[in-house]
């Protein structure tokens, strides 16, 4: 029969599963390959040899696992963080940032279970076995890792046992005054008050005249020139109902350290309608200690002949500066499973309901025994030191810390087991529950009715997505475009796959996440308001993610690509542009080797914005170098596009030299003893050896001013059996013999391009005799080339293609010319 010319000009489905190699009737079959290794499928239809990787540095501890985490302040300020065994280092712009290094608590075994969420210059890092930390960048060279303290929550259920907690102090800044100067400090007024010191005597069942007019002041001065930081207070009106009109309606609280120069700390107006012994609470920002605190009242005296009066002023000392005091439990019942206070409770929050039926919160600073701890009280002072029957211990203790986080609607949200906790709106430290729309939130069964652990949470359009081991849920406001509040919420289940504990990525129109088995990748798309569905994006390439996905990193520029390290050390790739029906997987084996396998092991991958407008893909790569395990941080270079061949970077773990023309370059100690390829002024040198001192020398005394040197890798593609031209049905399975292959190339160094029959072992080089490269330099070719192939009838019309030089290669289309059985 006549020769067949079936063109394949689309490779957008990438490498498909061996289970589908005979499914020629499927629509995607003619856009697929049997093998796509170190080639990237392009949205335009072709395949392009991937760019190489640039050596950025060796990790601190090469013998141990290392993870990268992105820190992205903006498109112009982005970092890659090296997390190793109990340390963090910082990289940016292709190199380590000075000597910046922070000690961390995270052990090597826990690195890949760390979760993180970032806002501007802060990143919150969480793990169920570690207290949450906050990483702060103050400047390019100034970084700090500190404890992150939840303010006022979240908490375990309210105590329902007979155990009481008795505080040894109340948190008042002032002592309980018995006179104007006793027991310490001095109380003064404008001279017309009556026993003004009694506003600090802890008694709200009284009427104390501050002034005989409608305006006046009362002041407390700490003794000995010492001051305290005050940031909250409460006022109690007189218990004389008939005299409530005497309560001031406005005032200013000011402070001083010399009694002459005052600054205003807080002012109030319109405080009307007081009832007998009513208490009102006020807070303000202040971290400074002052010796004098003065309340200047006005607008009082309306009920009793211009006498301004009240019952009590309670100034609270800042919990950050107060001396800790004892909190004594009457028994161990109800505390940590009836075991009492433990050393692990240090740092834990605790909520206390005072005798005035108002909740306060405190933090445990030390443990004395199973029934005694010391605390600092935050917010408002307690009315007295009586035993407290209603209390709540903070939720987070070792083994029960938050596990993942996200930002959503100006709230900082965290998850733990089945629960989600979200901060007050715009106040990322405040987790105090309330009923106002901007108060903090708590959802105890956010993971749904099944007891499925929440493994990640992330922000999506209109919903907080909750990934659980049983599927994905969506938490949102109860109405369309309605904010999530304590009184407006809904938690919907979606028909999705269970999730692995691997951070999902935002792929623009959808989210991509790893399923529970870690052997497939799913795409999560929104079908309606707060309703989602997911599909296995790698089903036709199931053999690639089945190696076990380690983590995900999504690159937007220059092409939409998902990268995912695999358990077997390969780097998986997935070209993802669903609007153009571009969904193709490919595999990448980096140059070098580790422990007997023929490629280097990729352990971690993250993406950050690059300086040239392309995204940077950062990798942690493990190799055996000189018999020793080495882990290097490398950056995948931008793909070769429309530039000179001398700019091509198609080697791994490589370096660039630009300068005077030389025959030897150094600086490659990380590759000592390794065989490398070099592109020197556009000329290819293969198989050069790096000396023990890290130098490489060109043979024959050749010199070059621009070098790209590194470990070699080959790009390989195997075609499928094409089903065309049969007169009486499919040609699949019938014998075929390929005579030649026609390749449509773009900017390709053809001297490194070879073609082979699937059944014969002879690699046929692509020859272009009409093009002569001066001085042996590589020349890029665009157009069609024909390559004769030595094939047999058992070859099924399939061809192998590979490119071995450290130079570019892009294949736009492939046409096998073959004969087939009739």
């Amino acid at each position: 029969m006549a020769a067949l010319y079936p063109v394949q000009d689309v490779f957008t489905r990438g490498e498909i599963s061996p289970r589908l190699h005979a499914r020629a009737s499927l629509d995607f079959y003619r856009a697929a390959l049997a093998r796509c290794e170190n080639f990237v499928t392009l949205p335009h239809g072709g395949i392009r040899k991937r760019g190489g990787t640039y050596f950025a540095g060796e990790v601190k501890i090469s013998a141990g696992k290392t993870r990268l985490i992105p820190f992205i302040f903006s498109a112009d300020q982005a970092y890659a963080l090296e997390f190793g065994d109990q340390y963090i280092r910082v990289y940016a712009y292709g190199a380590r940032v000075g000597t910046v290094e922070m000690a961390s608590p995270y052990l090597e075994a826990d690195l890949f279970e760390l979760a993180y969420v970032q806002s501007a210059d802060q990143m919150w890092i969480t793990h169920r076995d570690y207290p949450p930390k906050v990483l702060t960048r103050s400047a390019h060279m100034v970084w700090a890792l500190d404890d992150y303290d939840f303010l006022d929550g979240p908490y375990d259920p309210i105590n329902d046992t007979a155990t009481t907690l008795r505080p040894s102090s109340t948190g008042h800044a002032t002592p309980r005054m018995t006179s104007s100067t006793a027991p310490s400090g001095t109380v003064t007024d404008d001279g017309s008050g009556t026993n003004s010191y009694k506003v600090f005597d802890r008694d709200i069942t009284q009427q104390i005249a501050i002034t005989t007019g409608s305006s006046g002041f009362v002041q407390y001065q700490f003794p000995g020139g010492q001051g305290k930081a005050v940031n909250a207070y409460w006022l109690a009106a007189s218990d004389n109902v008939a005299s409530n009109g005497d309560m001031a309606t406005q005032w200013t609280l000011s402070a001083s350290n010399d009694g002459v120069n005052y600054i205003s700390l807080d002012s109030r107006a319109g405080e009307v309608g007081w009832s007998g012994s009513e208490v009102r609470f006020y807070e303000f920002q202040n971290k400074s200690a002052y010796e004098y605190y003065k309340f200047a009242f006005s607008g009082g005296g309306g009920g009793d002949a211009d006498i301004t009066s009240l019952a009590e002023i309670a100034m609270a000392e800042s919990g950050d500066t107060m001396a800790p005091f004892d909190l004594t439990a009457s028994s161990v019942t109800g505390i940590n499973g009836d075991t009492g206070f433990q050393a692990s409770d240090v740092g834990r929050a605790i909520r206390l309901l005072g005798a005035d039926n108002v909740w306060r919160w405190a933090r445990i600073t030390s443990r004395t025994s199973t029934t005694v701890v010391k605390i600092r009280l935050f917010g408002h002072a307690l009315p007295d030191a009586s035993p407290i029957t209603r209390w709540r211990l903070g939720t987070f203790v070792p083994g029960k810390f938050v596990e993942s986080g996200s930002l959503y609607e100006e709230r900082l949200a965290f998850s733990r087991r089945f629960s989600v906790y979200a901060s007050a709106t715009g106040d990322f430290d405040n987790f105090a529950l309330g009923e106002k729309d901007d108060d903090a939130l708590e959802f105890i069964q956010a993971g749904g009715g099944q007891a499925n652990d929440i493994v990640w949470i992330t922000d999506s359009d209109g919903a907080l997505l909750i990934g659980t081991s049983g599927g994905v849920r969506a938490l949102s406001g109860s109405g369309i475009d309605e904010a999530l509040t304590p009184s407006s919420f809904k938690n919907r289940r979606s028909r999705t796959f269970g999730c692995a504990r691997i951070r999902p990525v935002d792929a623009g129109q959808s989210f991509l996440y790893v399923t529970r088995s870690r052997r497939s990748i799913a795409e999560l798309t929104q079908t309606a308001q707060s309703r989602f569905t997911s599909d296995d994006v790698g089903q036709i390439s199931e053999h690639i993610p089945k190696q076990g996905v380690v983590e995900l990193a999504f690159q937007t520029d220059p092409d939409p690509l998902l990268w995912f390290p695999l358990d077997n050390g390969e780097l998986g790739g997935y070209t993802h542009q669903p609007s153009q029906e571009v969904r193709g997987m490919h595999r990448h084996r980096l140059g070098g080797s580790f422990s007997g396998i023929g490629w280097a092991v990729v352990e971690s991958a993250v993406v950050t914005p690059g300086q040239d407008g392309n995204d940077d893909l950062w990798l942690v790569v493990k190799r055996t170098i000189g018999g020793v395990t080495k882990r290097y941080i490398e950056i995948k270079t931008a793909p070769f596009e429309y530039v000179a061949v001398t700019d091509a970077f198609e080697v791994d773990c490589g370096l660039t030299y630009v300068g005077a023309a030389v025959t030897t370059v150094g600086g490659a100690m990380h590759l000592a003893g390794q065989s490398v390829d070099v592109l020197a002024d556009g000329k290819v040198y293969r198989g050069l050896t790096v000396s023990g001192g890290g130098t490489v020398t060109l043979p024959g005394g050749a010199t070059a001013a621009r070098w790209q040197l590194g470990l070699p890798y080959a790009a390989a593609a195997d075609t499928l059996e094409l089903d065309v031209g049969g007169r009486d049905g499919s040609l699949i399975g019938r014998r075929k013999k390929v005579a030649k292959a026609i390749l449509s190339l773009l900017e390709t160094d053809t001297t490194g391009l070879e073609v082979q029959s699937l059944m014969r072992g002879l690699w046929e080089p692509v020859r272009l005799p009409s093009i002569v490269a001066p001085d042996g330099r590589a020349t890029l070719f665009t157009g069609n080339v024909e390559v004769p192939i030595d094939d047999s009838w058992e070859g099924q019309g399939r061809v192998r293609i590979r490119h071995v030089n450290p130079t570019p290669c892009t294949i736009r289309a492939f046409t096998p010319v073959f004969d087939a059985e009739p």
Side-chain angles (χ1 to χ4, degrees):
M1 63 179 295
L4 302 176
Y5 289 74
V7 63
Q8 182 174 359
D9 56 4
V10 177
F11 304 93
T12 52
R13 300 316 296 260
E15 179 177 318
I16 64 172
S17 168
R19 297 178 179 179
L20 297 172
H21 285 192
R23 298 290 303 277
S25 61
L26 296 174
D27 291 339
F28 61 76
Y29 185 88
R30 292 197 60 181
L33 293 165
R35 180 188 185 194
C36 188
E37 182 180 304
N38 289 330
F39 274 117
V40 172
T41 62
L42 299 176
H44 315 84
I47 55 174
R48 177 176 58 204
K49 186 180 179 182
R50 69 165 171 86
T53 64
Y54 187 86
F55 174 74
E58 184 177 358
V59 304
K60 179 181 180 181
I61 306 174
S62 263
K65 273 193 172 182
T66 307
R67 183 186 178 187
L68 295 174
I69 288 179
F71 188 102
I72 304 172
F73 176 79
S74 68
D76 299 320
Q77 299 180 58
Y79 301 83
L81 306 177
E82 173 193 332
F83 277 69
D85 187 48
Q86 297 187 302
Y87 76 89
I88 303 171
R89 286 179 167 182
V90 181
Y91 283 75
Y93 318 128
R96 187 179 170 198
V97 177
T99 58
V100 176
E101 182 176 324
M102 293 150 283
S104 85
Y106 309 117
L107 300 176
E108 175 189 338
D110 301 319
L111 296 178
F112 281 84
E113 289 195 350
L114 295 177
Y116 56 91
V117 54
Q118 183 186 349
S119 175
D121 272 323
Q122 287 188 306
M123 173 182 283
W124 293 265
I125 304 170
T126 56
H127 186 288
R128 62 182 174 275
D129 293 330
Y130 296 87
K133 295 281 189 178
V134 58
L135 178 65
T136 304
R137 182 196 74 151
S138 302
H140 181 62
M141 297 281 292
V142 182
W143 297 70
L145 183 68
D146 301 302
D147 292 332
Y148 172 68
D149 294 327
F150 291 86
L151 301 184
D152 197 10
Y155 296 99
D156 286 343
I158 297 174
N159 167 62
D160 58 3
T161 72
T163 300
T164 62
L165 301 179
R166 179 189 289 273
S168 63
S169 181
T170 59
H172 282 75
T174 64
R176 184 173 184 173
M177 298 299 290
T178 56
S179 74
S180 296
T181 57
S184 63
T186 302
V187 179
T188 56
D189 56 31
D190 62 359
S192 60
T194 305
N195 297 324
S196 293
Y197 74 89
K198 290 187 177 181
V199 297
F200 299 109
D201 68 357
R202 311 288 198 270
D203 185 2
I204 65 171
T205 60
Q206 58 185 343
Q207 180 179 359
I208 308 300
I210 298 299
T211 178
T212 56
S214 61
S215 299
F217 73 86
V218 61
Q219 174 176 273
Y220 179 83
Q221 177 187 1
F222 288 97
Q226 300 297 314
K228 292 183 178 181
V230 171
N231 60 8
Y233 62 94
W234 51 261
L235 300 181
S238 168
D239 66 338
N240 185 343
V241 176
S243 300
N244 287 335
D246 293 337
M247 186 68 184
T249 59
Q250 60 186 34
W251 59 85
T252 296
L253 169 61
S254 56
S256 173
N257 278 320
D258 59 10
V260 177
N261 300 295
Y262 286 81
I263 65 168
S264 177
L265 297 179
D266 187 54
S267 60
R268 306 286 168 166
E271 297 287 334
V272 298
W274 291 81
S275 57
S277 295
E278 180 185 353
V279 178
R280 297 184 186 179
F281 297 85
Y282 308 93
E283 299 175 4
F284 56 93
Q285 295 292 325
N286 176 47
K287 296 183 179 181
S288 301
Y290 294 99
E291 182 181 350
Y292 298 83
Y293 286 91
K294 178 192 290 185
F295 285 88
F297 295 99
S298 60
D304 189 9
D306 291 335
I307 297 176
T308 300
S309 64
L310 68 155
E312 186 73 12
I313 299 175
M315 290 190 293
E317 183 180 2
S318 170
D320 293 324
T321 58
M322 72 168 53
F325 56 87
D326 284 342
L327 185 68
T328 303
S330 60
S331 74
V332 298
T333 304
I335 303 174
N336 290 325
D338 299 339
T339 63
F341 292 116
Q342 304 297 315
S344 58
D345 288 325
V346 174
R348 194 175 186 181
I350 185 169
R351 214 168 196 223
L352 308 169
L353 186 68
D356 55 359
N357 206 38
V358 174
W359 287 97
R360 279 85 168 171
W361 79 278
R363 189 175 304 282
I364 298 173
T365 61
S366 63
R367 171 185 177 268
T368 305
S369 68
T370 56
T371 57
V372 179
V373 291
K374 287 190 179 295
I375 64 170
R376 283 194 172 103
L377 188 68
F378 293 85
H380 292 282
L382 290 162
D384 55 46
S386 59
I388 295 170
T389 59
R390 294 177 66 79
W391 46 268
R392 304 177 69 182
L393 281 172
T395 296
F396 303 133
V397 293
K400 295 173 59 179
F401 293 116
V402 290
E403 300 176 57
S404 63
S406 179
L407 291 171
Y408 180 66
E409 293 184 342
E410 297 301 317
R411 299 178 186 270
L412 179 59
F414 293 104
S415 70
R416 182 181 70 85
R417 292 298 306 276
F418 322 126
S419 302
V420 169
Y421 311 91
S423 73
T425 302
D427 188 354
F428 292 165
D429 295 332
N430 185 1
F431 284 77
L433 301 180
E435 298 180 356
K436 295 185 296 183
D437 285 351
D438 58 353
D439 282 337
L441 310 168
E442 179 180 87
F443 298 92
I444 301 300
Q445 287 293 331
Q450 298 180 359
N452 294 317
D453 281 3
I454 297 172
V455 295
W456 51 258
I457 58 176
T458 191
D459 179 20
S460 178
D461 294 337
L464 179 67
L465 298 181
I466 302 172
T468 78
S469 54
V472 180
R473 305 186 68 87
L475 182 63
S476 65
S478 57
I480 297 177
D481 294 328
E482 189 171 342
L484 179 65
T485 70
S487 60
S488 174
F489 59 88
K490 60 186 174 187
N491 187 354
R492 286 184 171 177
R493 180 178 71 90
S494 297
R495 298 188 181 278
T496 54
F497 303 108
C499 308
R501 197 178 294 278
I502 294 175
R503 183 183 179 90
V505 295
D506 186 347
Q509 298 176 352
S510 58
F511 278 85
L512 300 173
Y513 68 96
V514 181
T515 62
R516 182 174 56 199
S517 66
R518 288 201 307 113
R519 294 179 178 271
S520 63
I521 298 171
E523 179 181 14
L524 186 71
T525 55
Q526 189 166 2
T527 58
Q529 178 69 20
S530 299
R531 291 191 183 277
F532 296 81
T533 186
S534 61
D535 293 306
D536 184 352
V537 299
Q539 188 171 29
I540 67 171
S541 305
E542 46 81 31
H543 64 299
I544 296 179
K546 272 189 176 178
Q547 297 296 330
V549 179
V550 176
E551 62 184 353
L552 302 179
F554 191 78
Q555 176 180 4
T556 302
D557 292 318
D559 297 307
L561 290 165
L562 177 73
W563 301 99
F564 47 100
L566 297 165
D567 283 341
N568 71 346
E570 290 182 323
L571 177 64
Y574 171 57
T575 306
H576 178 74
Q577 197 169 57
S579 62
Q580 302 297 321
E581 293 300 318
V582 177
R583 300 171 180 270
M585 283 197 174
H586 27 93
R587 297 176 297 107
H588 302 270
R589 293 180 173 180
L590 268 65
S593 64
F594 173 74
S595 190
I597 63 173
W599 57 89
V601 172
V602 178
E603 287 189 331
S604 184
V606 301
V607 169
T608 64
Q611 289 181 292
D612 60 357
N614 294 310
D615 290 335
D616 286 336
L617 174 65
W618 297 74
L619 305 171
V620 172
V621 186
K622 178 173 63 172
R623 295 183 181 85
T624 301
I625 305 287
V628 178
T629 297
K630 293 289 186 178
R631 285 177 168 88
Y632 296 147
I633 295 178
E634 301 171 30
I635 305 173
K636 183 183 170 298
T637 58
F640 182 88
E641 290 183 317
Y642 313 123
V643 293
V645 67
T646 54
D647 294 322
F649 196 102
E650 309 283 336
V651 290
D652 284 338
C653 200
L655 296 174
T656 295
Y657 166 81
V658 178
V662 293
T663 189
T664 299
V665 297
M669 276 297 299
H670 64 290
L671 295 177
Q674 300 298 297
S675 177
V676 298
D677 282 1
V678 177
L679 183 65
D681 284 348
K683 189 173 182 178
V684 173
Y685 297 89
R686 299 183 61 192
L688 304 184
T689 300
V690 181
S691 72
T695 63
V696 178
T697 300
L698 297 179
T703 63
R706 185 176 185 87
W707 298 48
Q708 320 278 19
L709 70 91
L711 297 171
Y713 63 91
D718 293 356
T719 66
L720 292 164
E721 181 181 3
L722 297 183
D723 186 24
V724 294
R727 295 179 181 178
D728 56 351
S730 173
L731 288 182
I732 295 295
R734 300 189 188 186
R735 294 194 305 162
K736 307 177 187 69
K737 181 178 180 181
V738 178
K740 62 182 177 180
I742 303 173
L743 300 177
S744 177
L745 306 176
L746 173 68
E747 295 186 320
T748 296
D749 169 27
T750 58
T751 63
L753 187 60
E754 301 172 330
V755 180
Q756 178 191 67
S757 163
L758 184 70
M759 299 303 295
R760 295 289 178 93
L762 180 63
W763 284 100
E764 299 287 351
V766 174
R767 293 183 175 91
L768 295 173
S770 61
I771 297 180
V772 178
D775 302 325
R777 286 179 170 81
T779 299
L780 301 184
F781 173 78
T782 297
N784 297 333
V785 296
E786 293 186 5
V787 187
I789 294 178
D790 178 21
D791 196 11
S792 70
W793 283 99
E794 287 74 29
Q796 299 178 331
R798 297 176 60 188
V799 173
R800 286 176 169 160
I801 305 168
R802 73 178 182 182
H803 192 271
V804 296
N805 277 356
T807 47
C809 175
T810 298
I811 300 173
R812 298 182 296 194
F814 163 76
T815 304
V817 181
F818 63 84
D819 294 323
E821 288 182 322

